[in-house]
Amino acid sequence: MIQKSLVLIKPDGVERGLIGEIIKRFEQRGLKIVGMKMVWVDKDFAKEHYSEHVNKPFFNELLTMITEGPIVAIALEGRNAIKVVRKIVGSTRPDEALPGTIRGDFAHSLIEGRNLVHASANESDAEKELRLWFKEDELKEYERSDEKHVIGKR
Ligand code: DAT
Ligand code: MG
C-alpha cells in the first residue's frame, strides 16, 4: 500500500546541524519527499500535534522542547511508508534505539524528550498530522526516476 507519513526534524536535529544527514537516510531508502518546509511552531500548535500526550507527566517538557527552535517538516511517500519510516527513525528512547537508526546513531539518552525526529505512528495519525502540518497544495505529485525499482507497479 502506498502511504504518506509525516516526519519532523525536531529543534535538536536542526540545531545540531543534522538536517541533511537525516533527510539523506529517507531519500536513499527510496522514500519520496512530497512536501517540505521549515516552521517554528507555538505552544497551541504543539498541543494539537501532541494531543495524545496531554495527560503524560512529560507533556510540558515536550511542549517546551518542540517550540524552542525551528523544525523541518517533511511529508514522505512510499510503499508501507509509515512502518518503513518508523524503522529508519528507531525506538523512542535513544538508549534502546539500534545502531543504524537515526536515534541509535545520533543520540543515546532521552534528555527532555530530545530524540531528533518525529514520525507518524499509524495511518490515522499520519492523516491527521499531514493535515495539521501541510496545506493540500503544499504536497506535490511527481515521479522519481528510480520508482520502477523502489516502488514497483502501483
Ligand atoms: P515517538 O516519538 O517515538 O512516537 P511517543 O509518541 O511515545 O514517541 O512520545 C512522543 C515524544 O515524547 C517522544 O518522541 C519523546 C517524548 N517522550 C516520550 N516518552 C517520554 C518520557 N518518558 N520522558 C520524556 N519525554 C518523553
Ligand atoms: Mg508518537
Side-chain angles (χ1 to χ4, degrees):
M1 191 193 345
I2 307 295
Q3 297 176 325
K4 288 188 180 70
S5 184
L6 175 79
V7 163
L8 304 176
I9 305 178
K10 299 197 271 196
D12 54 333
V14 174
E15 287 167 15
R16 289 177 58 189
L18 293 171
I19 297 171
E21 177 62 45
I22 290 168
I23 291 176
K24 181 189 81 177
R25 290 167 177 238
F26 298 112
E27 210 177 20
Q28 75 187 7
R29 197 77 188 271
L31 291 155
K32 194 198 308 189
I33 297 168
V34 294
M36 183 156 67
K37 60 182 172 181
M38 182 176 267
V39 273
W40 194 326
V41 299
D42 61 20
K43 290 207 173 174
D44 283 340
F45 188 96
K47 272 183 199 163
E48 206 159 320
H49 173 73
Y50 276 132
S51 58
E52 66 168 306
H53 297 303
V54 67
N55 292 319
K56 304 272 173 67
F58 57 83
F59 187 62
N60 281 336
E61 196 176 79
L62 192 57
L63 292 191
T64 302
M65 177 276 292
I66 204 76
T67 58
E68 73 186 1
I71 287 172
V72 175
I74 307 163
L76 292 171
E77 185 184 277
R79 196 174 291 285
N80 299 321
I82 295 166
K83 179 173 82 179
V84 174
V85 166
R86 293 280 292 193
K87 293 264 185 207
I88 294 169
V89 167
S91 300
T92 301
R93 298 183 55 91
D95 57 2
E96 284 169 7
L98 293 174
T101 65
I102 293 168
R103 288 165 173 169
D105 283 349
F106 298 107
H108 69 264
S109 50
L110 189 62
I111 304 158
E112 295 159 346
R114 290 178 220 278
N115 56 13
L116 300 161
V117 272
H118 165 84
S120 304
N122 53 55
E123 265 186 89
S124 69
D125 280 5
E127 214 170 287
K128 185 191 115 192
E129 292 171 1
L130 286 165
R131 221 177 308 121
L132 178 66
W133 287 85
F134 288 96
K135 298 190 190 102
E136 219 168 295
D137 67 358
E138 289 176 326
L139 297 180
K140 312 299 180 193
E141 274 182 42
Y142 65 95
E143 209 168 298
R144 257 177 68 153
S145 62
D146 59 358
E147 278 186 33
K148 177 183 158 196
H149 301 107
V150 299
I151 290 207
K153 286 199 171 63
R154 283 173 183 260

mmCIF file of all heavy atoms in Angstrom, residues 81-118:
data_model
loop_
_atom_site.group_PDB
_atom_site.id
_atom_site.type_symbol
_atom_site.label_atom_id
_atom_site.label_comp_id
_atom_site.label_asym_id
_atom_site.label_seq_id
_atom_site.Cartn_x
_atom_site.Cartn_y
_atom_site.Cartn_z
ATOM 1 N N ALA A 81 5.036 3.246 3.811
ATOM 2 C CA ALA A 81 5.938 4.311 4.274
ATOM 3 C C ALA A 81 5.895 4.504 5.791
ATOM 4 O O ALA A 81 6.929 4.793 6.402
ATOM 5 C CB ALA A 81 5.587 5.622 3.575
ATOM 6 N N ILE A 82 4.729 4.332 6.401
ATOM 7 C CA ILE A 82 4.621 4.612 7.841
ATOM 8 C C ILE A 82 5.530 3.676 8.641
ATOM 9 O O ILE A 82 6.300 4.102 9.493
ATOM 10 C CB ILE A 82 3.148 4.527 8.293
ATOM 11 C CG1 ILE A 82 2.347 5.655 7.606
ATOM 12 C CG2 ILE A 82 3.026 4.620 9.807
ATOM 13 C CD1 ILE A 82 0.846 5.501 7.674
ATOM 14 N N LYS A 83 5.458 2.396 8.315
ATOM 15 C CA LYS A 83 6.289 1.412 9.013
ATOM 16 C C LYS A 83 7.776 1.603 8.677
ATOM 17 O O LYS A 83 8.632 1.584 9.564
ATOM 18 C CB LYS A 83 5.846 -0.003 8.618
ATOM 19 C CG LYS A 83 6.667 -1.093 9.279
ATOM 20 C CD LYS A 83 6.111 -2.470 9.018
ATOM 21 C CE LYS A 83 6.571 -2.985 7.659
ATOM 22 N NZ LYS A 83 6.068 -4.352 7.389
ATOM 23 N N VAL A 84 8.058 1.798 7.413
ATOM 24 C CA VAL A 84 9.458 1.918 6.982
ATOM 25 C C VAL A 84 10.115 3.140 7.634
ATOM 26 O O VAL A 84 11.239 3.066 8.137
ATOM 27 C CB VAL A 84 9.549 1.997 5.433
ATOM 28 C CG1 VAL A 84 10.976 2.266 4.989
ATOM 29 C CG2 VAL A 84 9.037 0.698 4.795
ATOM 30 N N VAL A 85 9.385 4.243 7.673
ATOM 31 C CA VAL A 85 9.926 5.466 8.283
ATOM 32 C C VAL A 85 10.212 5.253 9.768
ATOM 33 O O VAL A 85 11.267 5.638 10.279
ATOM 34 C CB VAL A 85 8.959 6.654 8.068
ATOM 35 C CG1 VAL A 85 9.316 7.830 8.963
ATOM 36 C CG2 VAL A 85 8.959 7.090 6.604
ATOM 37 N N ARG A 86 9.276 4.610 10.476
ATOM 38 C CA ARG A 86 9.486 4.358 11.915
ATOM 39 C C ARG A 86 10.725 3.494 12.149
ATOM 40 O O ARG A 86 11.443 3.675 13.118
ATOM 41 C CB ARG A 86 8.256 3.669 12.532
ATOM 42 C CG ARG A 86 6.998 4.517 12.594
ATOM 43 C CD ARG A 86 6.970 5.497 13.745
ATOM 44 N NE ARG A 86 6.869 4.905 15.061
ATOM 45 C CZ ARG A 86 6.586 5.616 16.162
ATOM 46 N NH1 ARG A 86 6.363 6.925 16.085
ATOM 47 N NH2 ARG A 86 6.536 5.039 17.326
ATOM 48 N N LYS A 87 10.960 2.540 11.243
ATOM 49 C CA LYS A 87 12.151 1.677 11.372
ATOM 50 C C LYS A 87 13.430 2.487 11.187
ATOM 51 O O LYS A 87 14.432 2.244 11.870
ATOM 52 C CB LYS A 87 12.118 0.565 10.311
ATOM 53 C CG LYS A 87 11.016 -0.434 10.510
ATOM 54 C CD LYS A 87 11.513 -1.642 11.260
ATOM 55 C CE LYS A 87 10.411 -2.677 11.347
ATOM 56 N NZ LYS A 87 10.561 -3.531 12.529
ATOM 57 N N ILE A 88 13.406 3.406 10.234
ATOM 58 C CA ILE A 88 14.590 4.239 9.980
ATOM 59 C C ILE A 88 14.858 5.141 11.187
ATOM 60 O O ILE A 88 16.001 5.398 11.540
ATOM 61 C CB ILE A 88 14.388 5.084 8.698
ATOM 62 C CG1 ILE A 88 14.313 4.168 7.459
ATOM 63 C CG2 ILE A 88 15.500 6.112 8.525
ATOM 64 C CD1 ILE A 88 13.864 4.863 6.182
ATOM 65 N N VAL A 89 13.783 5.593 11.830
ATOM 66 C CA VAL A 89 13.900 6.503 12.979
ATOM 67 C C VAL A 89 14.410 5.779 14.221
ATOM 68 O O VAL A 89 15.253 6.294 14.954
ATOM 69 C CB VAL A 89 12.528 7.176 13.253
ATOM 70 C CG1 VAL A 89 12.517 7.875 14.603
ATOM 71 C CG2 VAL A 89 12.203 8.168 12.131
ATOM 72 N N GLY A 90 13.913 4.573 14.492
ATOM 73 C CA GLY A 90 14.345 3.811 15.664
ATOM 74 C C GLY A 90 13.470 4.045 16.883
ATOM 75 O O GLY A 90 12.559 4.873 16.872
ATOM 76 N N SER A 91 13.761 3.322 17.963
ATOM 77 C CA SER A 91 12.939 3.365 19.168
ATOM 78 C C SER A 91 12.893 4.756 19.794
ATOM 79 O O SER A 91 13.862 5.511 19.700
ATOM 80 C CB SER A 91 13.499 2.403 20.225
ATOM 81 O OG SER A 91 13.511 1.097 19.719
ATOM 82 N N THR A 92 11.767 5.025 20.474
ATOM 83 C CA THR A 92 11.571 6.329 21.117
ATOM 84 C C THR A 92 12.736 6.697 22.034
ATOM 85 O O THR A 92 13.235 7.814 21.995
ATOM 86 C CB THR A 92 10.260 6.302 21.945
ATOM 87 O OG1 THR A 92 9.183 5.992 21.068
ATOM 88 C CG2 THR A 92 10.012 7.635 22.620
ATOM 89 N N ARG A 93 13.158 5.736 22.845
ATOM 90 C CA ARG A 93 14.279 6.002 23.764
ATOM 91 C C ARG A 93 15.600 5.749 23.037
ATOM 92 O O ARG A 93 15.885 4.599 22.656
ATOM 93 C CB ARG A 93 14.199 5.074 24.981
ATOM 94 C CG ARG A 93 12.952 5.245 25.852
ATOM 95 C CD ARG A 93 13.058 4.319 27.055
ATOM 96 N NE ARG A 93 14.316 4.573 27.771
ATOM 97 C CZ ARG A 93 14.429 5.442 28.780
ATOM 98 N NH1 ARG A 93 13.382 6.077 29.229
ATOM 99 N NH2 ARG A 93 15.599 5.659 29.355
ATOM 100 N N PRO A 94 16.412 6.774 22.874
ATOM 101 C CA PRO A 94 17.685 6.569 22.164
ATOM 102 C C PRO A 94 18.571 5.496 22.785
ATOM 103 O O PRO A 94 19.358 4.861 22.082
ATOM 104 C CB PRO A 94 18.348 7.949 22.221
ATOM 105 C CG PRO A 94 17.196 8.901 22.279
ATOM 106 C CD PRO A 94 16.173 8.202 23.139
ATOM 107 N N ASP A 95 18.422 5.250 24.105
ATOM 108 C CA ASP A 95 19.273 4.197 24.703
ATOM 109 C C ASP A 95 18.784 2.797 24.336
ATOM 110 O O ASP A 95 19.438 1.806 24.644
ATOM 111 C CB ASP A 95 19.406 4.368 26.226
ATOM 112 C CG ASP A 95 18.067 4.380 26.953
ATOM 113 O OD1 ASP A 95 17.012 4.209 26.293
ATOM 114 O OD2 ASP A 95 18.073 4.561 28.183
ATOM 115 N N GLU A 96 17.635 2.722 23.686
ATOM 116 C CA GLU A 96 17.146 1.430 23.188
ATOM 117 C C GLU A 96 17.181 1.356 21.664
ATOM 118 O O GLU A 96 16.984 0.293 21.076
ATOM 119 C CB GLU A 96 15.704 1.196 23.672
ATOM 120 C CG GLU A 96 15.665 0.801 25.143
ATOM 121 C CD GLU A 96 14.261 0.815 25.718
ATOM 122 O OE1 GLU A 96 13.293 0.994 24.954
ATOM 123 O OE2 GLU A 96 14.145 0.664 26.941
ATOM 124 N N ALA A 97 17.416 2.480 21.018
ATOM 125 C CA ALA A 97 17.407 2.518 19.548
ATOM 126 C C ALA A 97 18.644 1.808 18.990
ATOM 127 O O ALA A 97 19.760 1.987 19.495
ATOM 128 C CB ALA A 97 17.357 3.966 19.075
ATOM 129 N N LEU A 98 18.437 0.997 17.972
ATOM 130 C CA LEU A 98 19.539 0.224 17.405
ATOM 131 C C LEU A 98 20.462 1.099 16.565
ATOM 132 O O LEU A 98 20.003 2.034 15.895
ATOM 133 C CB LEU A 98 18.975 -0.898 16.523
ATOM 134 C CG LEU A 98 18.201 -1.998 17.245
ATOM 135 C CD1 LEU A 98 17.578 -2.957 16.230
ATOM 136 C CD2 LEU A 98 19.112 -2.755 18.210
ATOM 137 N N PRO A 99 21.756 0.788 16.592
ATOM 138 C CA PRO A 99 22.675 1.444 15.667
ATOM 139 C C PRO A 99 22.164 1.252 14.238
ATOM 140 O O PRO A 99 21.597 0.203 13.919
ATOM 141 C CB PRO A 99 23.997 0.694 15.868
ATOM 142 C CG PRO A 99 23.898 0.102 17.229
ATOM 143 C CD PRO A 99 22.435 -0.202 17.449
ATOM 144 N N GLY A 100 22.353 2.257 13.406
ATOM 145 C CA GLY A 100 21.806 2.185 12.048
ATOM 146 C C GLY A 100 20.518 2.971 11.928
ATOM 147 O O GLY A 100 20.106 3.329 10.829
ATOM 148 N N THR A 101 19.861 3.208 13.071
ATOM 149 C CA THR A 101 18.674 4.072 13.062
ATOM 150 C C THR A 101 19.128 5.508 13.363
ATOM 151 O O THR A 101 20.241 5.718 13.863
ATOM 152 C CB THR A 101 17.645 3.632 14.118
ATOM 153 O OG1 THR A 101 18.195 3.793 15.439
ATOM 154 C CG2 THR A 101 17.250 2.170 13.921
ATOM 155 N N ILE A 102 18.268 6.471 13.044
ATOM 156 C CA ILE A 102 18.646 7.878 13.291
ATOM 157 C C ILE A 102 18.873 8.102 14.780
ATOM 158 O O ILE A 102 19.903 8.634 15.202
ATOM 159 C CB ILE A 102 17.562 8.828 12.740
ATOM 160 C CG1 ILE A 102 17.516 8.737 11.212
ATOM 161 C CG2 ILE A 102 17.831 10.267 13.182
ATOM 162 C CD1 ILE A 102 16.298 9.411 10.576
ATOM 163 N N ARG A 103 17.902 7.661 15.593
ATOM 164 C CA ARG A 103 18.061 7.871 17.036
ATOM 165 C C ARG A 103 19.217 7.054 17.595
ATOM 166 O O ARG A 103 19.907 7.482 18.519
ATOM 167 C CB ARG A 103 16.755 7.523 17.749
ATOM 168 C CG ARG A 103 15.652 8.559 17.492
ATOM 169 C CD ARG A 103 14.288 8.043 17.885
ATOM 170 N NE ARG A 103 13.232 9.046 17.815
ATOM 171 C CZ ARG A 103 11.935 8.757 17.905
ATOM 172 N NH1 ARG A 103 11.545 7.503 18.071
ATOM 173 N NH2 ARG A 103 11.033 9.719 17.844
ATOM 174 N N GLY A 104 19.462 5.884 17.036
ATOM 175 C CA GLY A 104 20.528 4.995 17.505
ATOM 176 C C GLY A 104 21.914 5.436 17.055
ATOM 177 O O GLY A 104 22.918 5.007 17.609
ATOM 178 N N ASP A 105 21.975 6.295 16.057
ATOM 179 C CA ASP A 105 23.275 6.755 15.568
ATOM 180 C C ASP A 105 23.649 8.145 16.097
ATOM 181 O O ASP A 105 24.828 8.497 16.114
ATOM 182 C CB ASP A 105 23.283 6.815 14.034
ATOM 183 C CG ASP A 105 23.436 5.428 13.412
ATOM 184 O OD1 ASP A 105 23.731 4.467 14.142
ATOM 185 O OD2 ASP A 105 23.257 5.312 12.182
ATOM 186 N N PHE A 106 22.637 8.933 16.482
ATOM 187 C CA PHE A 106 22.945 10.331 16.832
ATOM 188 C C PHE A 106 22.513 10.744 18.236
ATOM 189 O O PHE A 106 22.587 11.919 18.574
ATOM 190 C CB PHE A 106 22.327 11.282 15.799
ATOM 191 C CG PHE A 106 22.886 11.071 14.419
ATOM 192 C CD1 PHE A 106 22.135 10.461 13.438
ATOM 193 C CD2 PHE A 106 24.192 11.446 14.128
ATOM 194 C CE1 PHE A 106 22.658 10.240 12.176
ATOM 195 C CE2 PHE A 106 24.726 11.228 12.868
ATOM 196 C CZ PHE A 106 23.956 10.620 11.886
ATOM 197 N N ALA A 107 22.004 9.821 19.021
ATOM 198 C CA ALA A 107 21.620 10.160 20.391
ATOM 199 C C ALA A 107 21.812 8.919 21.254
ATOM 200 O O ALA A 107 21.909 7.814 20.738
ATOM 201 C CB ALA A 107 20.160 10.602 20.433
ATOM 202 N N HIS A 108 21.930 9.116 22.581
ATOM 203 C CA HIS A 108 21.986 7.929 23.435
ATOM 204 C C HIS A 108 21.112 8.032 24.667
ATOM 205 O O HIS A 108 20.969 7.074 25.408
ATOM 206 C CB HIS A 108 23.433 7.571 23.806
ATOM 207 C CG HIS A 108 24.092 8.552 24.717
ATOM 208 N ND1 HIS A 108 24.897 9.551 24.229
ATOM 209 C CD2 HIS A 108 24.050 8.697 26.047
ATOM 210 C CE1 HIS A 108 25.341 10.278 25.259
ATOM 211 N NE2 HIS A 108 24.819 9.780 26.373
ATOM 212 N N SER A 109 20.522 9.201 24.933
ATOM 213 C CA SER A 109 19.573 9.250 26.046
ATOM 214 C C SER A 109 18.484 10.265 25.749
ATOM 215 O O SER A 109 18.660 11.176 24.933
ATOM 216 C CB SER A 109 20.278 9.572 27.361
ATOM 217 O OG SER A 109 21.102 10.699 27.199
ATOM 218 N N LEU A 110 17.350 10.071 26.441
ATOM 219 C CA LEU A 110 16.174 10.896 26.162
ATOM 220 C C LEU A 110 16.181 12.090 27.110
ATOM 221 O O LEU A 110 15.517 12.084 28.133
ATOM 222 C CB LEU A 110 14.904 10.049 26.336
ATOM 223 C CG LEU A 110 13.574 10.662 25.886
ATOM 224 C CD1 LEU A 110 13.584 10.949 24.403
ATOM 225 C CD2 LEU A 110 12.426 9.703 26.219
ATOM 226 N N ILE A 111 16.949 13.115 26.759
ATOM 227 C CA ILE A 111 17.036 14.305 27.612
ATOM 228 C C ILE A 111 15.935 15.279 27.205
ATOM 229 O O ILE A 111 15.906 15.733 26.061
ATOM 230 C CB ILE A 111 18.417 14.991 27.465
ATOM 231 C CG1 ILE A 111 19.527 13.993 27.762
ATOM 232 C CG2 ILE A 111 18.503 16.207 28.374
ATOM 233 C CD1 ILE A 111 20.854 14.369 27.160
ATOM 234 N N GLU A 112 15.027 15.577 28.142
ATOM 235 C CA GLU A 112 13.912 16.499 27.881
ATOM 236 C C GLU A 112 13.153 16.149 26.614
ATOM 237 O O GLU A 112 12.737 17.027 25.861
ATOM 238 C CB GLU A 112 14.434 17.945 27.830
ATOM 239 C CG GLU A 112 14.980 18.415 29.164
ATOM 240 C CD GLU A 112 15.934 19.601 29.039
ATOM 241 O OE1 GLU A 112 16.386 19.893 27.925
ATOM 242 O OE2 GLU A 112 16.219 20.201 30.079
ATOM 243 N N GLY A 113 13.030 14.848 26.344
ATOM 244 C CA GLY A 113 12.268 14.403 25.174
ATOM 245 C C GLY A 113 13.003 14.560 23.856
ATOM 246 O O GLY A 113 12.423 14.421 22.784
ATOM 247 N N ARG A 114 14.302 14.835 23.912
ATOM 248 C CA ARG A 114 15.048 15.056 22.664
ATOM 249 C C ARG A 114 15.467 13.735 22.033
ATOM 250 O O ARG A 114 16.308 13.027 22.554
ATOM 251 C CB ARG A 114 16.297 15.891 22.940
ATOM 252 C CG ARG A 114 16.007 17.329 23.293
ATOM 253 C CD ARG A 114 17.304 18.061 23.604
ATOM 254 N NE ARG A 114 17.095 18.954 24.722
ATOM 255 C CZ ARG A 114 16.562 20.158 24.615
ATOM 256 N NH1 ARG A 114 16.201 20.612 23.439
ATOM 257 N NH2 ARG A 114 16.383 20.905 25.670
ATOM 258 N N ASN A 115 14.880 13.454 20.896
ATOM 259 C CA ASN A 115 15.290 12.267 20.143
ATOM 260 C C ASN A 115 15.280 12.543 18.649
ATOM 261 O O ASN A 115 15.040 11.651 17.839
ATOM 262 C CB ASN A 115 14.444 11.047 20.527
ATOM 263 C CG ASN A 115 12.968 11.307 20.354
ATOM 264 O OD1 ASN A 115 12.579 12.296 19.727
ATOM 265 N ND2 ASN A 115 12.128 10.432 20.877
ATOM 266 N N LEU A 116 15.517 13.806 18.304
ATOM 267 C CA LEU A 116 15.819 14.271 16.945
ATOM 268 C C LEU A 116 14.670 14.334 15.951
ATOM 269 O O LEU A 116 14.589 15.262 15.159
ATOM 270 C CB LEU A 116 16.950 13.435 16.326
ATOM 271 C CG LEU A 116 18.270 13.462 17.078
ATOM 272 C CD1 LEU A 116 19.148 12.279 16.689
ATOM 273 C CD2 LEU A 116 19.006 14.773 16.818
ATOM 274 N N VAL A 117 13.840 13.285 15.941
ATOM 275 C CA VAL A 117 12.805 13.225 14.902
ATOM 276 C C VAL A 117 11.467 12.753 15.453
ATOM 277 O O VAL A 117 11.406 12.019 16.438
ATOM 278 C CB VAL A 117 13.199 12.273 13.746
ATOM 279 C CG1 VAL A 117 13.983 12.974 12.684
ATOM 280 C CG2 VAL A 117 13.937 11.067 14.247
ATOM 281 N N HIS A 118 10.427 13.170 14.769
ATOM 282 C CA HIS A 118 9.090 12.621 14.997
ATOM 283 C C HIS A 118 8.703 11.888 13.727
ATOM 284 O O HIS A 118 9.028 12.326 12.632
ATOM 285 C CB HIS A 118 8.080 13.737 15.266
ATOM 286 C CG HIS A 118 6.661 13.266 15.153
ATOM 287 N ND1 HIS A 118 6.002 12.649 16.197
ATOM 288 C CD2 HIS A 118 5.792 13.276 14.104
ATOM 289 C CE1 HIS A 118 4.785 12.312 15.788
ATOM 290 N NE2 HIS A 118 4.622 12.686 14.537
#
